[in-house]
Amino acid sequence: MHPRDPPHPRFPSLFQHSTTLFMEGGCRDVGSVPPPLIPVSPCSLLQPEPLLLAPSGTSHPVGSHRALRDSLERESFKPSSQPEERNRRQPSPCPRSVVEAARAHPAFGELFQFATPVLMWDQHFNPETWNRLKERHVPYGWQGLSHAAISSTLRLLNASANRQLFDRRHFPGGCVRCAVVGNGGILNGSRQGEAIDAHDLVFRLNGAVIRGFEEDVGTKISFYGFTVNTMKNSLIAYEEYGFTRIPQAEDLKYIFIPSDVRDYIMLRSAIQGSPVPEGSDKGDDPRKYFGPEVSAEKFKLLHPDFLHYLTTRFLRSELLNMQYGHLYMPSTGALMLLTALHTCDQVSAYGFITGNYEQFSDHYYEVEKKPLVFYANHDMLLEAELWRSLHQAGIMELYQR
C-alpha cells in the first residue's frame, strides 16, 4: 500500500540487484535479491551532514544513469550559517508546527531548507535560471527542452496565485492543517474519511477514487497532484475501479510535476483552453481533464530546483547507481507529501507505505488483494523509511494500523 505511480511498460520491476538494509547501527550489504523476493531498502539518507546539491555539468550521454547520478553529486550545497535565514517562514500559532519540529531535530534540522522555492512562476524565468537549469536532466532541470516551450508556459503563470500554494489570509486561525492522501490499501476499512476531511486542505494524487470509499478516504479535495504521464496512466490503469476522470471542482487546484516537456506543453494548453499543439499529446484537449473554463490561477507548477532539493536531501536512492537509474525519481505521492511539509503548518499522511505494507493490498479500492510491486523508477522502501523517521520525529503524522 503506497502512492506509487501507475505501472508503465518502460519501468521494469526490480527483480535482482545488490542493495543495502537500513539498521539502527548503520547499513549492511544483503547482496543479490532473487525473484520473487522484494528488495530491501537502501540506507537511510537521514544524516547530520549536508547532502550534495548541484546542477549537472556532465559529458555523459543524455539518459545515462551515471549522468543523472553525477548531476546530483557534482557541486556541494552550502547551507546558510544562520538557520533563521535558511528556514525563513512566518511563526506559526500551531502548538507544534512542521518548521518548529524540524528545527528541533538534529538531522532534519540540517535537511530541511524552507527557503527553497516550491513553485515556479513567470518571474523565475530569466537568463541565469535558463542557463543553469538547461544543464540538468528533467525533472530537475530543462536539459533537452526548448527555450520556447518553457518560456511560453511560464509567462502565463503570472498571477499571485501561481506564486504560492495557498493564501494564508483565508485561514484566520493561522494554523493550516493539511492531509495528504495516498492510494494505499491500508485505507480500505480504515474509516478515516471524517478525520481526513477535518483538515483545512487535502492533497490527492493519481488514481484518487472517492466514490464508494467516502467513509475511508473522505470527500474533500483541495489539490490534485500529477505528471501528465501518471495522470493519463491512472485513467487507464484504474478505470475499472471507478477512476474515469480527473477530479474537478471550483476550488480545486492542480499541481503539475514537470517531469517532461509534455507537462509544460499540457499546462500551457490548459491555461489557453486550446488543444495541445505538439508532442506526444498533440491534439489532446486539456478541458476534458481540468474542466471547460479554467484560468492560470487554477494551476501550480513545482520548481525544478525544489524537485532537485527533495531528491538530493531526502530521497537520493541507491537505484541511481543501477541499470535503470536514469528512470528514477521520487513518487508522485512522495513529492506531494514533501510539498505539504514545506508549505503547511501541520501535516498528516494517509495511505502511504508503512512497515507492515505486506498486510494490505496495493490500493484501497481493489476488490482482490494485490501485492505491492517495486519498479525501477521509484524507491518505495526508502520512502517508507523517510515517512517513519518523520513520524517518529514529530514532524508529521503517519497513519498506521
Side-chain angles (χ1 to χ4, degrees):
M1 29 62 67
H2 58 92
R4 174 177 56 77
D5 297 339
H8 189 280
R10 73 188 180 93
F11 296 149
S13 58
L14 296 179
F15 289 121
Q16 187 168 1
H17 62 263
S18 179
T19 185
T20 53
L21 175 65
F22 176 80
M23 303 177 66
E24 292 300 327
C27 301
R28 66 179 177 86
D29 183 21
V30 296
S32 294
V33 181
L37 298 180
I38 297 173
V40 295
S41 175
C43 183
S44 171
L45 295 181
L46 306 183
Q47 304 166 3
E49 64 270 14
L51 299 179
L52 300 179
L53 180 72
S56 70
T58 175
S59 59
H60 301 299
V62 175
S64 162
H65 63 281
R66 182 181 173 191
L68 177 56
R69 182 191 64 209
D70 288 353
S71 76
L72 298 176
E73 294 180 346
R74 184 166 298 275
E75 184 178 304
S76 294
F77 180 84
K78 299 178 180 178
S80 166
S81 59
Q82 300 296 326
E84 292 75 20
E85 294 177 11
R86 190 169 78 233
N87 295 340
R88 67 173 181 268
R89 206 157 96 179
Q90 294 298 318
S92 170
C94 294
R96 184 169 174 82
S97 68
V98 170
V99 174
E100 180 185 55
R103 286 176 174 169
H105 193 274
F108 283 117
E110 291 293 329
L111 289 181
F112 274 93
Q113 301 285 290
F114 291 106
T116 304
V118 174
L119 302 179
M120 172 164 272
W121 49 291
D122 68 332
Q123 290 190 23
H124 284 143
F125 192 74
N126 53 50
E128 185 277 329
T129 302
W130 168 257
N131 289 331
R132 179 169 56 82
L133 293 185
K134 73 178 182 180
E135 298 301 318
R136 286 192 197 154
H137 293 271
V138 290
Y140 314 110
W142 298 327
Q143 190 176 91
L145 309 187
S146 75
H147 185 282
I150 303 300
S151 63
S152 61
T153 299
L154 294 183
R155 72 168 180 244
L156 299 174
L157 300 175
N158 53 21
S160 60
N162 303 129
R163 307 177 190 181
Q164 55 189 358
L165 206 62
F166 53 85
D167 190 341
R168 286 186 168 273
R169 293 175 297 179
H170 295 163
F171 303 91
C175 181
V176 182
R177 299 175 61 248
C178 298
V180 186
V181 185
N183 302 319
I186 193 173
L187 287 178
N188 189 302
S190 67
R191 302 194 177 195
Q192 292 299 303
E194 186 176 344
I196 290 171
D197 287 347
H199 290 76
D200 297 304
L201 299 168
V202 177
F203 296 67
R204 299 183 193 267
L205 53 121
N206 294 342
V209 178
I210 291 177
R211 182 176 296 180
F213 296 92
E214 294 88 347
E215 190 176 61
D216 292 336
V217 303
T219 61
K220 190 174 185 176
I221 177 168
S222 311
F223 300 102
Y224 177 75
F226 60 96
T227 70
V228 171
N229 183 62
T230 64
M231 177 185 74
K232 290 195 168 187
N233 284 343
S234 293
L235 288 169
I236 296 171
Y238 310 129
E239 180 183 13
E240 63 178 298
Y241 304 112
F243 190 71
T244 57
R245 77 167 195 171
I246 301 305
Q248 296 180 12
E250 183 178 352
D251 296 331
L252 173 61
K253 302 297 188 295
Y254 297 103
I255 302 177
F256 270 77
I257 301 170
S259 68
D260 193 80
V261 67
R262 68 190 300 199
D263 296 289
Y264 292 96
I265 297 173
M266 177 67 77
L267 175 55
R268 182 184 68 201
S269 295
I271 295 173
Q272 295 174 335
S274 59
V276 177
E278 59 183 303
S280 57
D281 301 301
K282 184 176 181 179
D284 203 359
D285 188 350
R287 291 175 294 185
K288 70 183 181 184
Y289 304 119
F290 312 115
E293 296 182 8
V294 292
S295 63
E297 288 82 358
K298 194 98 172 156
F299 301 101
K300 317 289 183 178
L301 178 67
L302 293 188
H303 200 303
D305 279 341
F306 184 61
L307 301 178
H308 193 243
Y309 151 77
L310 296 182
T311 302
T312 55
R313 285 184 164 257
F314 294 93
L315 290 168
R316 195 167 80 193
S317 173
E318 289 296 324
L319 296 180
L320 287 165
N321 300 324
M322 297 175 186
Q323 181 180 359
Y324 297 101
H326 61 286
L327 300 177
Y328 173 77
M329 66 179 289
S331 70
T332 301
L335 295 175
M336 288 300 98
L337 182 48
L338 287 165
T339 294
L341 285 165
H342 283 78
T343 52
C344 304
D345 295 311
Q346 292 182 346
V347 176
S348 302
Y350 298 86
F352 282 73
I353 185 171
T354 56
N356 60 341
Y357 67 88
E358 292 177 312
Q359 296 180 18
F360 310 101
S361 189
D362 196 354
H363 303 96
Y364 62 80
Y365 37 78
E366 290 159 345
V367 177
E368 296 183 5
K369 182 179 178 181
K370 294 186 177 181
L372 184 154
V373 178
F374 290 77
Y375 290 87
N377 57 322
H378 302 313
D379 191 335
M380 300 310 302
L381 290 175
L382 181 60
E383 293 183 10
E385 171 61 27
L386 178 60
W387 312 144
R388 182 184 70 85
S389 298
L390 286 165
H391 175 80
Q392 291 180 341
I395 296 172
M396 74 173 200
E397 291 290 330
L398 175 66
Y399 174 69
Q400 304 174 77
R401 58 190 286 203

